[in-house]
């Protein structure tokens, strides 16, 4: 079936560096994508979203890039801080009411 | 004020017992969800209600029964608990049934012994 997956289960970066978290999706009908951050012991928290009619969207220190040709989504975090340490999920929606989540990437920020 | 709240936060129980988890949202949203997160952090939708009406019912054992007394509350009752039910259960809500930006609760950590 269709799935949403992540390239790397764990990503380690130095404080102050930029982080890039990647996500591959396989459902070409997906028209909405969203990134969540989940800190230890907490629920997922919305970061940023993007619709399929866009290639890029920027937020505060975060940018989401969407490449529909290769079905790839990425989350870029600028000047990564210790507070950015968390598991990051991408999710996609292809019509209907359901978000399908990827498997998650653990981001570790080293001081 | 907490936007999406769940009780209890932790639940430890014996196999075969029946337990309930409660969820409330004060965001005025129409749609609420239950997710299960396993030990590998995989998040999977279980149910969704829109204005008290069931709109998503994934392949979940019928031991799991959601109930929505009003659109601000969505409870989850689990009968005859099994070891494999051990997980973190998250409630979420969204403005509409489109399911896009969903706001999650803090989770209920269920351990079945």
């Amino acid at each position: 079936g269709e799935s949403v997956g992540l390239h790397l289960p764990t990503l380690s970066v130095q404080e102050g560096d930029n982080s890039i978290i990647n996500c591959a999706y396989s459902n070409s009908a997906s028209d909405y994508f969203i990134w969540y951050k989940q800190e230890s012991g907490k629920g997922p928290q919305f970061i940023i979203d993007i619709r399929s009619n866009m290639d890029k969207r920027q937020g505060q220190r975060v940018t989401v890039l969407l490449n529909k040709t290769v079905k790839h989504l990425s989350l870029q975090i600028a000047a990564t801080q210790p507070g950015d340490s968390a598991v990051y999920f991408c999710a996609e929606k292809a019509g209907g009411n359901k978000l399908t989540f990827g498997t998650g990437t653990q981001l570790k920020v080293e001081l | 004020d907490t936007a999406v709240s769940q009780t209890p936060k932790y639940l430890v129980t014996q196999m075969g017992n029946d337990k309930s988890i409660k969820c409330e949202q004060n965001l005025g949203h129409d749609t609420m969800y239950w997710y299960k997160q396993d030990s590998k952090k995989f998040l999977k939708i279980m149910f969704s209600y829109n204005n008290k009406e069931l709109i998503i019912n994934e392949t979940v054992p019928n031991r799991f029964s959601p109930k929505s007394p009003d659109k601000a509350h969505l409870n989850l009752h689990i009968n005859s608990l099994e070891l494999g039910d051990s997980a973190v259960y998250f409630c979420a809500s969204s403005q509409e049934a489109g399911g896009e930006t969903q706001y999650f609760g803090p989770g209920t950590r269920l351990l079945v012994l």
Side-chain angles (χ1 to χ4, degrees), chain A residues 27-43:
Chain A
N27 188 346
S28 56
S30 294
D31 57 3
Y32 175 80
F33 303 87
I34 189 168
W35 282 98
Y36 280 92
K37 171 187 180 184
Q38 186 178 17
E39 295 175 88
S40 181
K42 296 184 179 180

Side-chain angles (χ1 to χ4, degrees), chain A residues 3-95:
Chain A
S3 65
V4 179
L6 294 173
H7 292 307
L8 297 172
T10 303
L11 175 65
S12 295
V13 298
Q14 293 289 322
E15 182 181 5
D17 287 351
N18 296 335
S19 302
I20 300 176
I21 301 171
N22 296 304
C23 180
Y25 66 96
S26 55
N27 188 346
S28 56
S30 294
D31 57 3
Y32 175 80
F33 303 87
I34 189 168
W35 282 98
Y36 280 92
K37 171 187 180 184
Q38 186 178 17
E39 295 175 88
S40 181
K42 296 184 179 180
Q45 178 185 7
F46 170 81
I47 302 173
I48 192 166
D49 58 1
I50 189 168
R51 296 193 183 280
S52 58
N53 60 355
M54 301 171 69
D55 297 323
K56 180 179 178 178
R57 192 162 186 225
Q58 287 185 289
Q60 188 177 10
R61 280 201 310 119
V62 294
T63 301
V64 55
L65 298 177
L66 176 62
N67 185 330
K68 295 180 286 294
T69 302
V70 296
K71 298 194 192 72
H72 185 267
L73 187 71
S74 68
L75 177 71
Q76 300 179 2
I77 304 173
T80 312
Q81 302 168 359
D84 295 326
S85 294
V87 176
Y88 288 80
F89 294 94
C90 67
E92 51 104 12
K93 190 165 81 80

Side-chain angles (χ1 to χ4, degrees), chain A residues 32 34 36 38 41-44 46 49 51 87 89 93 96-99 101-103, chain B residues 33 35 37 41-43 45 55-56 58 90 97-102 104-106 109:
Chain A
Y32 175 80
I34 189 168
Y36 280 92
Q38 186 178 17
K42 296 184 179 180
F46 170 81
D49 58 1
R51 296 193 183 280
V87 176
F89 294 94
K93 190 165 81 80
N97 304 314
K98 188 172 72 167
L99 280 179
F101 281 78
T103 53
Chain B
Y33 310 81
Y35 286 85
Q37 187 173 49
K41 298 285 191 182
F42 186 66
L43 262 170
I45 182 82
I55 58 171
I56 295 175
E58 292 291 288
F90 287 101
E100 295 183 349
T101 308
Q102 296 179 19
F104 283 77
R109 285 139 191 86

Side-chain angles (χ1 to χ4, degrees), chain B residues 14-17 63 78-86 110 112:
Chain B
Q14 298 287 330
M15 256 194 323
N17 284 349
R63 299 182 294 103
I78 315 170
N79 287 326
S80 303
L81 278 155
E82 299 178 358
L83 295 176
D85 297 332
S86 296
L110 172 65
V112 182

Side-chain angles (χ1 to χ4, degrees), chain B residues 45-89:
Chain B
I45 182 82
M46 299 173 69
F47 302 103
S48 177
Y49 272 74
N50 182 58
N51 270 321
K52 303 193 293 177
E53 185 177 333
L54 183 66
I55 58 171
I56 295 175
N57 186 354
E58 292 291 288
T59 307
V60 177
N62 57 15
R63 299 182 294 103
F64 289 79
S65 52
K67 279 193 172 56
S68 182
D70 56 63
K71 71 174 192 177
H73 296 83
L74 180 62
N75 303 324
L76 183 65
H77 188 75
I78 315 170
N79 287 326
S80 303
L81 278 155
E82 299 178 358
L83 295 176
D85 297 332
S86 296
V88 183
Y89 291 84

